[in-house]
Amino acid sequence: MGEYRQDLIDRAARDHVLNASEIESLLTDDEAEEALAAAADRVRQEFVGDGVHLRGLIEFSNICRCHCMYCGLRCDNSKIERYRLSPDEIVELADKARGYGYHTVVLQSGEDLQFTAPVLCGIIRRIKAMDLAVTLSVGERSYEEYQAFREAGADRYLLRIETTDAALYERWDPGMSHARRIQCMLDLKKLGYEVGTGTLVGLPGQTPAMIARDILWYQQIDADMVGIGPLIPNGDTPLGKAAPGDWHLTRRMVSLLRLLLPEANIPATTAMETMVPHGREVILNSGANVVMPNVTEGDFRRKYALYPGKICVADTPADCRACMGGRIRAMGRFVAADKGFRHHGRRRQDDERAKVCNH
């Protein structure tokens, strides 16, 4: 088994191709984890370099129309304290993010339809005037709305599918259509966004075979960014008593994604560190190249309660920026000074260090 395992890893690192059964065999092989991580780290260095892209996350509303059974923002959750920032407050946070040295801001919310296309477009234009890249994560909208956001200057869009298995998706995301979710991502691709998606590892009923198919689907659509996190059960949701997602399985998935989508941007997610101390460093050493520190201020950080125990909710945005910068340098990596757009079809060079941002 050891020789076969290493042959699969070597082939994935070299050719960036495995079939579903081969992916599944590595996902379920505990003994493959460190070798996968080491290979993914080498591929990461070769294709995207040693720079870690920090993207400032602005969680501007926790109001949501959806009923997702695992999410603390679900509209049926009466225990959450709801909030909505004003456009001026959002733009002010973006300006502060620029002052901390961020080159991208991520505007994230529940599916809050009070933020209409004209409102969001006005916010995007004001932020783009600061020479920042803008990533949106506001859920499912019409093609015309996506087009308006793009024309206003939005660069990227995050829309996690959580699982590509249609039955599992519609079981845990009631009232939503798997086909509609996929169509939204295809629309975003057509409009020229960098498109991010990802898997929630640990949904009840999910199997390693499903996760393998997720990876192949991300390859098929040529996803520009893939965010992977484990299920952390929220007691205020119907899945509050579910088993947590497997941290090690999640790590193996991250490594496989780097091997099979070598140019993609892959974040070390907050959820991984919520489960395991210094989990973000582990994931950065397992193929990841992006971290999204929170630049939301005050008690709003606590109120954006996707899951319990979320790290850093009591920290200030300045604390988070300084902390992550120091931790990245301690790893022998550096904070990248560019906006972090995906580089298609070419490897990064070591002279990127000339672009280092040491804020």
Side-chain angles (χ1 to χ4, degrees):
M1 180 62 186
E3 185 175 337
Y4 173 71
R5 175 196 305 129
Q6 193 59 52
D7 177 66
L8 289 183
I9 294 171
D10 291 345
R11 183 149 47 86
R14 182 184 66 245
D15 301 332
H16 317 298
V17 176
L18 293 175
N19 64 35
S21 64
E22 291 168 339
I23 294 170
E24 185 179 354
S25 73
L26 291 173
L27 283 169
T28 55
D29 185 351
D30 294 345
E31 295 183 9
E33 187 164 327
E34 297 305 328
L36 271 173
D41 198 46
R42 291 192 297 272
V43 169
R44 183 272 309 157
Q45 200 283 330
E46 181 181 3
F47 279 83
V48 297
D50 285 331
V52 177
H53 296 281
L54 297 185
R55 296 176 177 168
L57 178 63
I58 301 173
E59 297 166 335
F60 65 88
S61 171
N62 69 353
I63 295 167
C64 190
R65 61 176 171 164
C66 299
H67 304 269
C68 303
M69 305 283 269
Y70 46 81
C71 180
L73 305 194
R74 66 193 309 264
C75 65
D76 313 86
N77 183 5
S78 61
K79 296 181 180 179
I80 193 171
E81 300 172 61
R82 301 288 179 178
Y83 73 90
R84 177 187 288 136
L85 301 185
S86 70
D88 285 346
E89 289 173 317
I90 297 167
V91 173
E92 181 181 0
L93 288 174
D95 192 35
K96 290 180 178 179
R98 180 180 59 169
Y100 299 136
Y102 293 101
H103 301 280
T104 295
V105 292
V106 181
L107 305 182
Q108 185 173 79
S109 71
E111 294 210 9
D112 182 353
L113 298 186
Q114 288 295 311
F115 284 92
T116 62
V119 171
L120 280 171
C121 286
I123 294 167
I124 294 164
R125 290 189 187 98
R126 292 170 67 186
I127 295 174
K128 288 295 291 184
M130 302 176 192
D131 191 30
L132 290 169
V134 173
T135 300
L136 291 180
S137 180
V138 298
E140 294 184 7
R141 298 291 183 111
S142 69
Y143 183 91
E144 291 73 24
E145 288 173 297
Y146 288 150
Q147 184 174 30
F149 302 152
R150 182 75 177 130
E151 290 172 354
D155 301 286
R156 306 182 179 102
Y157 204 102
L158 304 183
L159 190 67
R160 286 190 21 164
I161 197 164
E162 311 298 8
T163 175
T164 58
D165 185 89
L168 192 70
Y169 178 91
E170 292 179 3
R171 177 182 178 187
W172 299 123
D173 297 277
M176 299 181 73
S177 161
H178 181 261
R180 166 67 180 154
R181 196 75 165 184
I182 288 177
Q183 186 59 55
C184 284
M185 277 182 272
L186 297 178
D187 288 346
L188 291 162
K189 278 290 217 182
K190 182 178 179 180
L191 288 164
Y193 286 91
E194 283 197 348
V195 177
T197 185
T199 293
L200 184 59
V201 176
L203 285 170
Q206 185 184 60
T207 66
M210 291 176 186
I211 295 173
R213 291 195 293 271
D214 290 350
I215 293 172
L216 289 173
W217 188 75
Y218 300 145
Q219 267 196 317
Q220 179 185 331
I221 68 167
D222 193 24
D224 300 294
M225 179 173 174
V226 187
I228 306 300
L231 173 70
I232 300 178
N234 186 321
D236 296 333
T237 71
L239 289 185
K241 295 186 183 300
D246 186 317
W247 191 92
H248 292 283
L249 173 61
T250 308
R251 183 189 180 203
R252 293 193 290 272
M253 185 179 187
V254 168
S255 295
L256 279 161
L257 282 164
R258 172 58 67 202
L259 296 177
L260 299 179
L261 288 92
E263 303 165 346
N265 283 311
I266 301 175
T269 60
T270 303
M272 293 299 276
E273 187 155 330
T274 298
M275 292 187 80
V276 171
H278 297 284
R280 281 182 288 193
E281 280 100 331
V282 176
I283 300 305
L284 284 169
N285 280 329
S286 305
N289 69 315
V290 172
V291 177
M292 297 194 291
N294 197 338
V295 299
T296 318
E297 293 182 342
D299 206 30
F300 300 124
R301 296 162 74 93
R302 176 185 63 82
K303 292 179 180 179
Y304 201 83
L306 297 172
Y307 51 81
K310 190 176 178 183
I311 59 168
C312 303
V313 294
D315 294 345
T316 68
D319 290 338
C320 286
R321 175 62 182 83
C323 174
M324 280 312 308
R327 289 165 65 179
I328 288 164
R329 288 190 292 273
M331 296 173 63
R333 304 271 286 275
F334 63 92
V335 176
D338 61 283
K339 294 183 174 70
F341 290 107
R342 179 180 171 188
H343 291 257
H344 292 267
R346 68 182 181 83
R347 292 164 171 77
R348 305 298 294 273
Q349 301 298 320
D350 289 341
D351 64 4
E352 276 194 333
R353 288 185 177 271
K355 303 176 183 178
V356 175
C357 172
N358 288 313
H359 293 304

